[in-house]
Each structure stands twice: as structure tokens, then as C-alpha cells.
């Protein structure tokens, strides 16, 4: 998502909705607008001239500039002074102050409309130009924004990406990053061919050394294709029922990096990234030893008998686990991978239990992910606890199949058949959401370390919209906020105010100040504003940033539906029109009764 417009641009922008519709449809669009206000004596209704009516159809909201094309032969077509005089004349007729701004490369004139013109005023000015036989066209200078909503046919089933309540707010991040340049290692069951992922698959490896587990008839090799992991009743232990092949790794891969905007299937979170499938799970599971080697190789380490990895991963997805705390052997591999600069993301587990008793969920230096359902509450099966770092959509199909996570699969019950799509649920499905986010972050800012990535994800999470018992980490990950935060200035000076300030219940606004000095020029277009507020029912709060010249930037509006506690996040503000030095203020107001709190601290990084 592009940075917010500057104060000047925000005053008088043309309808972005109309522009968006035109971009998505690949054609010009017009929308109705207010009519001119001149009334006739006979009817008392607005008299609309053809020129004014045409002008109104071109305007949906206040504009700031017009692009005026003159016919060849007109003096205004080549003379800036003539175009300037024409603007002044037409402005007087419309009762507005117009000025010639500059000549475009096409020869058209850019005409400024002055301050605070409404829709009717703009339509009046356009009508004046269009009534002139020397004018070929007069159109608003529209603001265009990147359009990231994909055209994938099954995208509507991916509530986990875009739904406001419990989705991960992914689409807004795509205009900043798509994961380009990042390789993701999916340590899982391997990969079964699927046309909706194939273009983003790079070389991986089959690390299964035991032929009883591998199913494919051999040991380790360079082919990570998934032959199926089905098993018969009791084959994997007494009392364990039979299971069809899961195609688990392919489902995970689709969530991370399915090809997007290809008019089919689903959208991947980091659809510009590449997937390196590493096969460690086969019939009945997979051994720690194979997983340890896969972690090592994925991150650029050396594994005896395995060729060097040409596709070193920036992030590893491990949607797998077993009972028992993290062993020293597994921890050693993870620590080495992180030291090589690879972020390791793991599933918390699906036993509705404390994740501290499971591995790799309980390992250090990993991002441990719990699962939430479509309501935003912790999924009934998800593990929890103090070692959980973050939550992400994992689905909960107990109420409806469509409340699961929809991704790429195969229709074969034992061996591969035709490609398909299906809903799954689990912390296995939540984990690739965070992995996709990490890929977006690394693409936006390649210098980020694993520790910085984890901190940014946590700091920019939002409170769960539902409930969580036992501990769900920092909250529900927010892709747009996180990517915006890391793609802005990651260096600079942080100015903070740590003096606590009480927030009156349903009372007047309070302000906390930070004096910024020693900077030159203006504040950045991605000014980072960190806010730490303790407050029950945070929907009562309105939060504004006040610049040194008194200009205000709304950080948070009140919301009767936001019942979560506390505000602990980093906002990104386009403050490029503001002088950096001076006294900045955070203004906080509680606008409803019955809940209290305090501003603990806040900071500016610029």
C-alpha cells in the first residue's frame, strides 16, 4: 500500500474508488456528481447545462488540478502566458482562483484549482473549459494508487488473507512487497506438481534416508517429489487408524507462494518468492536427523553427501512437530541456521496443550505460531503458552468447512492424481502465513536479521479480535502494518517519552510531548510512531499525532466493535511535508464511558 498522501494532497483528492474501478476494468470510468446550483425561476431546481452535466460526470470528489488539452492552432496550446491568462479568465467566470502550473509532455496544461474546491466547484470549472471551442478536453488530475487485489478465481475463499475481522491484512502489503528475491524452504512432505505453484518452485532435496519412510523406493536424492504419505490402520502404531495421503507440503507451499494474478486458483501471500521443497516427512512422519540436515542445508550449511545448496533460504517453514521439548541436537541446527541469517518459523502444535512440551515449537530462536479461526479466537486444537510468539489464521472447520484454509492440493488418495484445492486446518496452516509475511519483509528490506523480523512482527500485531486462553503470543499478525514498518527508514534516531499519562474515562484529550532536535530537513515519508497504551476496550480511544506546526495525523479512530485491550503497535505516517525538528505530540482521548487506562510511553523514529 502506498504511503498516505501529504497534507496538501489529502485536501482535495479525486475519487480513488472511481480510479480503482477503472484500473481493475482496464477502461475509463465516470461517476455521477453533484449538479451545478444555478436555479431556474420556473422550477426552483438546478438548471444543468450540457457542458456542466458532462463536467459533473467526470468528477466524483473534490480535485486539486485539471489537465487541459487545447486544440492545435489555439494560442494556449503553445504559449504558457496565454494558458495562464485563460486560466485566470475562466476562474473569474466560475468564481474561483485558477492558475497555470506547468506544461505536460503531451502539450496539455496543468491548471491548479486553488484551495478547498468542492465537487460542485470543480464541475463548474470543467464546464467553463469544455464550453470553449478551443479546448479539446479538460479532465481532473486523478490520483492513481496501486491495485493489488488479485484476479485468482478462488481468492474469495481466502478469508484468511483479507477479511477485516480475523484475516491477516495481506492485500495492503502487496503494493510494497510481493516477496521477490526471497527463497523459502518448506521442510515437509515434499511437493506434488501443481500448475498454480509450479512457476515458483526451485530445486530442493529429498532428505529421507529410511526407505520404509520414503515410500519412493530409495534414500536421499535431489528429487523432492511427494509420492504420497498414506498408511494403513495400525501401520504407524497400534490403534492409529488408516490415513490417505495428505499432500501437506503442497498445501503449505500454496499458502506461501501460489502464483497470483494468473486467473486461476488462489493467491499466495508472498507470490513473488520461490519455494524450495525439502522432503523430510513420509509414511508415518519423519526423523529428527533428516530434519536437522534439512535445516542445515536450507540455510546454506554443509551436509555430507549432499551437493551445495544453490537456493539458500532466507526463511524456513516447519509445519511439523512431535511431543517432547526441543533437543540439543535440533536446537544446534536451528541456532546455526539463524546465525547464518535464516529465519525459522515453526508450528505450535495441534494438541490443545502447552507448546512448551513440543518440538520444534519449544526451541529457542524460532518464531512459534499458534492458530486462530475465522472468528479471531484461538482455534480449539491449537497449542498455546508463553513460548508462542504470534498467532495467524489456521482455520477452524468445526463450524463450517469454508472456515478452513484453502490452498493447493492433489486429488489422489494414495498416489498422485489430478491437481486440486482443499480446505485444511491446523497450526501447520498458520505457520506458512507467517513465513509468507517474513518473505514479504525480507524482500522489502533485505538487511533485516531474524531477530529484527521477529520483533517487527510482534510489535505490529493487533490484539486478537476473539479470545485466547493460555497465551497466543503478541496477537494476530498484520501483514500490511509490518511490511510498512520495515520498508520505511530502518535507521535513524529514536526519540521517546516514557512518562506515564492517565487517560480520563470519557473525558478530554491528553497530550504527551517529544522534542526532536538535531535533524535536518523534513520528517520521513514513513515516520514510525510507536505507541504503548494500557486500556480496556481500546475501541474507546482516538489517537492523533500532532506535528510541530499543529497539523494532525489520525493514527486510530474509535470503534464500537473493537473490544480488545491495549494498544501496543507502531504506526507509519507520511510526515514528509513536516519539518523534523520541533515538538511533536501524541494526543489521546477516551470517547466512551466505563473503561480506563494510561499512555505508558510512545516514540518517534526518524
Amino acid at each position: 500500500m502506498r504511503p498516505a498522501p501529504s497534507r496538501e494532497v489529502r485536501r482535495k483528492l479525486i475519487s480513488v474508488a472511481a480510479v480503482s474501478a477503472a484500473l481493475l476494468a482496464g477502461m475509463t470510468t465516470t461517476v455521477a456528481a453533484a449538479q451545478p446550483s444555478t436555479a431556474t425561476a420556473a422550477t426552483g431546481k438546478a438548471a444543468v447545462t450540457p457542458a456542466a452535466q458532462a463536467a459533473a460526470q467526470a468528477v466524483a470528489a473534490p480535485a486539486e488540478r485539471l489537465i487541459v488539452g487545447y486544440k492545435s492552432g489555439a494560442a494556449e496550446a503553445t504559449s504558457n502566458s496565454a494558458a495562464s491568462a485563460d486560466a485566470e479568465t475562466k476562474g473569474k467566470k466560475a468564481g474561483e482562483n485558477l492558475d497555470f502550473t506547468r506544461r505536460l509532455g503531451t502539450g496539455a496544461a496543468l491548471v491548479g484549482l486553488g484551495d478547498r474546491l468542492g465537487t460542485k466547484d470543480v464541475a463548474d470549472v470543467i464546464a467553463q473549459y469544455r464550453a470553449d471551442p478551443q479546448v479539446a478536453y479538460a479532465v481532473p488530475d486523478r490520483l492513481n494508487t496501486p491495485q493489488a487485489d488479485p484476479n485468482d478465481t478462488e481468492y474469495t475463499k481466502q478469508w484468511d488473507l483479507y477479511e477485516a475481522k480475523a484475516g491477516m491484512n495481506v492485500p495492503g502489503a502487496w503494493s510494497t512487497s510481493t516477496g521477490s528475491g526471497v527463497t523459502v524452504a518448506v521442510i515437509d512432505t515434499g511437493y506434488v506438481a501443481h500448475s498454480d505453484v509450479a512457476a515458483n518452485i526451485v530445486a530442493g532435496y529429498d532428505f529421507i534416508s529410511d526407505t520404509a519412510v520414503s515410500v519412493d523406493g530409495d534414500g536421499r536424492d535431489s528429487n523432492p517429489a511427494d509420492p504420497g504419505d498414506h498408511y494403513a490402520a495400525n501401520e504407524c502404531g497400534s490403534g492409529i487408524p488408516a490415513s490417505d495421503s495428505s499432500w501437506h507440503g503442497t498445501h503449505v507451499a500454496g499458502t506461501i507462494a501460489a502464483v497470483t494474478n494468473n486467473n486461476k486458483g488462489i493467491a499466495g501471500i508472498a507470490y513473488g518468492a520461490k519455494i524450495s521443497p525439502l522432503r523430510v516427512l513420509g509414511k508415518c512422519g519423519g526423523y529428527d536427523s533428516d530434519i536437522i540436515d534439512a535445516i542445515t542445508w536450507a540455510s546454506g550449511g554443509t551436509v555430507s553427501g549432499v551437493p551445495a545448496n544453490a537456493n539458500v533460504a532466507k526463511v524456513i517453514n516447519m509445519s511439523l512437530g512431535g511431543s517432547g521439548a526441543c533437543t540439543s541436537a535440533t536446537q544446534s541446527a536451528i541456532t546455526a541456521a539463524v546465525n547464518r541469517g535464516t529465519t525459522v518459523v515453526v508450528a505450535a502444535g495441534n494438541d490443545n496443550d502447552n507448546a512448551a512440551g513440543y518440538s520444534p515449537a519449544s526451541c529457542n530462536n524460532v518464531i512459534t505460531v499458534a492458530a486462530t479461526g475465522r472468528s479471531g479466537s484461538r482455534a480449539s486444537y491449537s497449542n498455546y503458552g508463553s513460548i508462542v510468539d504470534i498467532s495467524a489464521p489456521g482455520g477452524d472447520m468445526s463450524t463450517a468447512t469454508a472456515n478452513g484454509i484453502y490452498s493447493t492440493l492433489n486429488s489422489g488418495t494414495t498416489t498422485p492424481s489430478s491437481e486440486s484445492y482443499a480446505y485444511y486446518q491446523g497450526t501447520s496452516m498458520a505457520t506458512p502465513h507467517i513465513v509468507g509475511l517474513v518473505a514479504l519483509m525480507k524482500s522489502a528490506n533485505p538487511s533485516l536479521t531474524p531477530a529484527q523480523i521477529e520483533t517487527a512482527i510482534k510489535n505490529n500485531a493487533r490484539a486478537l479480535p476473539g479470545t485466547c486462553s493460555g497465551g497466543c503470543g503478541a496477537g494476530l499478525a498484520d501483514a500490511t502494518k509490518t511490511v510498512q514498518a520495515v520498508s520505511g527508514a530502518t535507521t535513524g534516531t529514536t526519540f521517546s517519552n516514557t512518562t506515564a499519562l492517565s487517560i480520563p474515562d470519557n473525558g478530554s484529550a491528553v497530550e504527551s510531548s517529544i522534542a526532536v532536535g538535531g535533524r535536518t530537513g523534513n520528517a520521513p515519508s514513513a515516520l514510525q510512531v510507536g505507541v504503548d497504551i494500557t486500556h480496556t476496550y481500546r475501541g474507546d480511544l482516538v489517537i492523533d499525532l500532532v506535528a510541530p506546526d499543529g497539523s494532525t495525523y489520525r493514527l486510530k479512530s474509535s470503534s464500537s466493535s473493537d473490544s480488545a485491550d491495549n494498544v501496543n503497535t507502531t504506526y507509519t505516517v507520511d510526515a514528509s511535508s513536516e519539518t523534523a525538528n520541533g515538538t511533536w505530540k501524541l494526543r489521546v482521548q477516551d470517547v466512551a464511558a466505563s473503561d480506563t487506562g494510561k499512555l505508558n510511553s510512545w516514540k518517534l523514529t526518524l
Side-chain angles (χ1 to χ4, degrees):
M1 186 174 66
R2 67 185 298 130
S6 68
R7 284 186 299 125
E8 289 300 311
V9 175
R10 275 200 305 270
R11 292 184 314 198
K12 308 174 289 297
L13 294 182
I14 193 67
S15 170
V16 175
V19 178
S20 301
L23 292 173
L24 291 173
M27 59 187 290
T28 302
T29 186
T30 59
V31 290
Q35 296 175 339
S37 59
T38 304
T40 64
T43 65
K45 296 180 180 179
V48 186
T49 66
Q53 187 172 26
Q57 290 175 339
V59 182
E64 190 174 39
R65 294 175 292 268
L66 293 183
I67 300 173
V68 180
Y70 290 93
K71 295 178 181 179
S72 61
E76 295 87 345
T78 56
S79 169
N80 290 352
S81 60
S84 179
D86 190 43
E88 184 178 354
T89 299
K90 287 183 170 57
K92 289 180 179 178
K93 290 182 179 179
E96 306 293 347
N97 294 317
L98 309 186
D99 65 279
F100 171 83
T101 302
R102 63 183 173 87
R103 186 76 60 176
L104 304 188
T106 59
L110 186 64
V111 177
L113 297 177
D115 291 340
R116 305 190 182 282
L117 269 67
T119 299
K120 181 189 74 64
D121 304 320
V122 175
D124 288 344
V125 173
I126 291 176
Q128 289 292 333
Y129 273 104
R130 289 186 174 176
D132 186 343
Q134 297 299 314
V135 172
Y137 58 84
V139 296
D141 185 16
R142 301 188 302 187
L143 178 73
N144 291 260
T145 60
Q147 298 302 303
D149 282 355
N151 60 24
D152 302 78
T153 55
E154 304 297 322
Y155 177 66
T156 56
K157 297 179 180 178
Q158 294 182 271
W159 61 267
D160 46 306
L161 303 192
Y162 64 82
E163 280 193 354
K165 183 174 185 180
M168 212 175 76
N169 197 16
V170 173
W174 284 333
S175 58
T176 301
S177 174
T178 64
S180 177
V182 176
T183 296
V184 177
V186 175
I187 298 179
D188 213 292
T189 64
Y191 164 73
V192 60
H194 199 294
S195 63
D196 208 11
V197 189
N200 284 335
I201 297 294
V202 296
Y205 208 80
D206 181 354
F207 278 93
I208 301 178
S209 52
D210 189 328
T211 55
V213 176
S214 69
V215 184
D216 60 3
D218 55 32
R220 291 183 172 180
D221 57 41
S222 60
N223 181 11
D226 186 350
D229 58 354
H230 64 284
Y231 50 83
N234 302 311
E235 190 174 7
C236 296
S238 178
I240 296 179
S243 176
D244 292 340
S245 291
S246 67
W247 318 114
H248 190 272
T250 301
H251 197 278
V252 168
T255 297
I256 298 169
V259 178
T260 302
N261 286 317
N262 60 343
N263 282 298
K264 69 173 293 182
I266 64 166
I269 292 172
Y271 59 82
K274 301 299 182 184
I275 299 289
S276 175
L278 307 186
R279 187 166 180 254
V280 299
L281 301 179
K283 179 176 288 189
C284 304
Y287 288 102
D288 278 355
S289 55
D290 291 340
I291 294 169
I292 287 168
D293 278 351
I295 294 169
T296 302
W297 190 79
S299 59
T302 301
V303 176
S304 178
V306 180
N309 184 5
N311 299 294
V312 175
K314 303 288 179 62
V315 54
I316 290 172
N317 188 110
M318 287 202 289
S319 292
L320 49 80
S323 59
C326 183
T327 66
S328 298
T330 299
Q331 184 63 67
S332 177
I334 289 172
T335 299
V338 171
N339 287 342
R340 284 188 283 268
T342 299
T343 300
V344 181
V345 185
V346 305
N350 301 330
D351 297 278
N352 188 27
D353 196 2
N354 193 320
Y358 297 82
S359 178
S362 60
C363 295
N364 296 323
N365 301 320
V366 300
I367 299 176
T368 300
V369 187
T372 52
R374 198 167 185 173
S375 68
S377 296
R378 177 173 69 87
S380 57
Y381 55 79
S382 178
N383 284 355
Y384 50 82
S386 60
I387 65 165
V388 171
D389 295 301
I390 196 70
S391 294
D396 195 335
M397 297 160 63
S398 60
T399 54
T401 299
N403 291 341
I405 304 301
Y406 198 69
S407 189
T408 47
L409 213 67
N410 191 278
S411 64
T413 56
T414 55
T415 58
S417 183
S418 58
E419 65 180 42
S420 64
Y421 301 84
Y423 289 101
Y424 272 10
Q425 66 175 24
T427 55
S428 283
M429 283 59 257
T431 303
H433 283 76
I434 299 301
V435 167
L437 172 54
V438 173
L440 295 177
M441 296 167 70
K442 284 292 287 185
S443 179
N445 187 343
S447 67
L448 291 172
T449 66
Q452 289 171 333
I453 286 170
E454 180 177 342
T455 297
I457 291 173
K458 290 178 177 179
N459 286 350
N460 291 284
R462 64 185 192 272
L464 292 186
T467 61
C468 172
S469 57
C472 289
L476 181 63
D478 188 305
T480 295
K481 288 173 62 179
T482 306
V483 171
Q484 285 179 338
V486 302
S487 62
T490 56
T491 60
T493 304
T494 297
F495 300 83
S496 61
N497 186 328
T498 58
T499 301
L501 184 64
S502 295
I503 303 169
D505 183 32
N506 195 22
S508 301
V510 295
E511 292 184 344
S512 177
S513 300
I514 291 177
V516 173
R519 311 300 291 172
T520 58
N522 286 3
S525 60
L527 174 66
Q528 304 298 291
V529 186
V531 178
D532 180 3
I533 294 176
T534 301
H535 192 284
T536 53
Y537 208 103
R538 66 182 185 186
D540 291 356
L541 297 179
V542 175
I543 306 174
D544 291 303
L545 176 69
V546 184
D549 68 353
S551 301
T552 60
Y553 296 82
R554 179 59 48 90
L555 304 181
K556 179 189 176 300
S557 300
S558 61
S559 171
S560 60
S561 61
D562 187 0
S563 61
D565 294 343
N566 308 330
V567 179
N568 191 344
T569 191
T570 300
Y571 298 97
T572 301
V573 175
D574 181 359
S576 57
S577 63
E578 304 291 348
T579 301
N581 288 336
T583 299
W584 296 75
K585 298 177 182 178
L586 191 75
R587 180 182 296 157
V588 184
Q589 183 175 14
D590 183 332
V591 297
S594 302
D595 294 277
T596 60
K598 65 179 179 178
L599 170 63
N600 299 308
S601 65
W602 71 289
K603 60 185 178 181
L604 294 171
T605 301
L606 71 168

